[in-house]
Amino acid sequence: MTDTVDKGPAPTVPPEQIKAVPVRHYGRWVAGAVVVAILVLIGIAFSNADINYNIIPDYLTDDLILDGVWHTLYISVLAMLLGLVLGVILAVMRMSSNPVTSTVGWFYVWFFRGTPVLVQLLLWYNIALVFPVLNLGFYKDEMNQVMTPFLAALLGLGLNEAAYMSEIVRAGIQSVDEGQTEASHALGMTQGKTLRRVVLPQAMRVIVPPTGNEFINMLKTSSLAYAVQFNELIKRAQDVSSTSLAVVEMYLVASIWYLILTSVFSVGQYYLERRYARGSMRTLPLTPLQRMRKNLHLFGSFRRPEVTR
């Protein structure tokens, strides 16, 4: 009688490993080649243009150019502050239950958003044709003396910005849940105190990002103030080009300064948005500097040799 040895179950053969073959996207390579070719052609065209690029670094720190940069900065800041304050008032007016104030707020936004900024600047600069004399009772003077290029630029830019800021503020206020307002009123807080202490702090998370974009846009829109003879960056670049005959070079200088200003304020906008996002996110994403430090730390730990004992 033969003994049978139980050899157990037959060994399982592992399945053959699947080889994933990436799909070739030939269209991406073609599109990339076309874009590179276009950029090369543009670079060749500018390199062969009749432009003296060597004088651009010298004029970046020219006194007149720096004066224009300063004027661009402070007219943008003041116009943005004026637009922000009036924007909050207009947003409250538009959301009011009073039909008169809500209608006036709506008409203001409709008018100033519907007319070009350049036209508004020219109207303020020539307002003496409508009101030759400014008479406030306690102050009287000719309008030509009152309406300086600075005041015309401030009113033209600031009042126009108020129309856009009112819509941004109104959207931010409406993003706050109505239960917050009802709870504040239940605690005995007035309408104004509820708006200041409860609604607006929560609405800032929605208001800040587009406000930062509006300020960066204001830096560039302020260039229209040259039409009312305000000495901002474009006006100063034109003054320099009239004596040096380097027209395109001065526009390139102005463009470089606009890129510098917008880049600096874009960084500030990023960190401001990050601050107001703390209440809506559990963990904030790493900043570019923090990511760089983390990558350097990981790279250093990877390259560090092991110590054997």
Side-chain angles (χ1 to χ4, degrees):
M1 190 172 182
T2 306
D3 294 335
T4 59
V5 179
D6 188 8
K7 297 182 179 180
T12 58
V13 179
E16 186 178 355
Q17 187 177 4
I18 300 175
K19 296 181 180 180
V21 179
V23 179
R24 292 180 174 85
H25 299 279
Y26 297 103
R28 295 180 182 178
W29 292 97
V30 174
V34 171
V35 171
V36 171
I38 293 175
L39 292 177
V40 170
L41 291 176
I42 293 176
I44 294 175
F46 272 90
S47 62
N48 294 330
D50 188 15
I51 299 175
N52 188 4
Y53 294 101
N54 296 326
I55 66 173
I56 291 179
D58 298 330
Y59 279 102
L60 282 173
T61 55
D62 185 82
D63 292 338
L64 287 179
I65 297 296
L66 293 179
D67 181 71
V69 172
W70 164 244
H71 280 79
T72 295
L73 272 176
Y74 85 76
I75 195 62
S76 299
V77 171
L78 292 180
M80 194 67 199
L81 289 176
L82 177 61
L84 181 59
V85 173
L86 290 179
V88 174
I89 296 174
L90 288 169
V92 175
M93 290 175 60
R94 289 203 62 186
M95 300 176 64
S96 174
S97 57
N98 189 328
V100 177
T101 56
S102 61
T103 302
V104 171
W106 177 88
F107 180 81
Y108 182 98
V109 174
W110 170 78
F111 178 79
F112 281 92
R113 287 203 310 175
T115 54
V117 183
L118 183 59
V119 174
Q120 296 175 30
L121 287 167
L122 293 174
L123 287 176
W124 282 111
Y125 191 59
N126 297 281
I127 197 68
L129 298 175
V130 182
F131 302 101
V133 178
L134 177 63
N135 189 357
L136 301 177
F138 60 90
Y139 177 82
K140 183 178 181 181
D141 198 356
E142 294 185 0
M143 186 61 74
N144 285 328
Q145 301 297 324
V146 176
M147 193 56 61
T148 60
F150 166 75
L151 187 57
L154 178 62
L155 293 176
L157 296 173
L159 296 182
N160 179 267
E161 184 61 33
Y164 293 91
M165 285 305 306
S166 68
E167 294 299 286
I168 294 174
V169 173
R170 186 169 66 91
I173 293 175
Q174 290 178 343
S175 68
V176 180
D177 190 81
E178 293 183 0
Q180 301 286 333
T181 303
E182 295 173 356
S184 302
H185 291 167
L187 294 174
M189 297 178 67
T190 61
Q191 187 73 23
K193 186 177 291 186
T194 300
L195 181 65
R196 294 194 309 270
R197 297 188 177 183
V198 178
V199 177
L200 282 180
Q202 297 184 62
M204 290 299 291
R205 180 175 57 88
V206 179
I207 295 174
V208 167
T211 301
N213 292 332
E214 284 295 315
F215 179 71
I216 292 174
N217 185 59
M218 176 65 73
L219 284 170
K220 297 175 292 183
T221 307
S222 63
S223 61
L224 296 176
Y226 83 95
V228 295
Q229 303 304 311
F230 181 69
N231 291 325
E232 46 76 50
L233 184 54
I234 294 296
K235 176 67 167 54
R236 285 308 194 186
Q238 289 180 341
D239 293 340
V240 175
S241 65
S242 64
T243 56
S244 64
L245 301 180
V247 179
V248 178
E249 289 84 351
M250 291 305 100
Y251 286 137
L252 292 177
V253 168
S255 299
I256 292 173
W257 269 113
Y258 280 120
L259 287 173
I260 293 173
L261 294 177
T262 53
S263 300
V264 170
F265 284 103
S266 295
V267 174
Q269 177 191 356
Y270 170 80
Y271 283 99
L272 191 61
E273 291 179 11
R274 179 182 171 84
R275 174 180 175 83
Y276 282 101
R278 291 181 301 179
S280 60
M281 302 178 66
R282 293 182 181 272
T283 57
L284 294 175
L286 297 178
T287 63
L289 184 58
Q290 291 173 340
R291 288 197 298 267
M292 184 183 301
R293 290 176 178 175
K294 182 180 179 180
N295 293 333
L296 290 176
H297 177 72
L298 292 175
F299 180 75
S301 62
F302 176 76
R303 295 292 300 274
R304 188 183 296 116
E306 296 183 356
V307 179
T308 58
R309 296 183 178 179

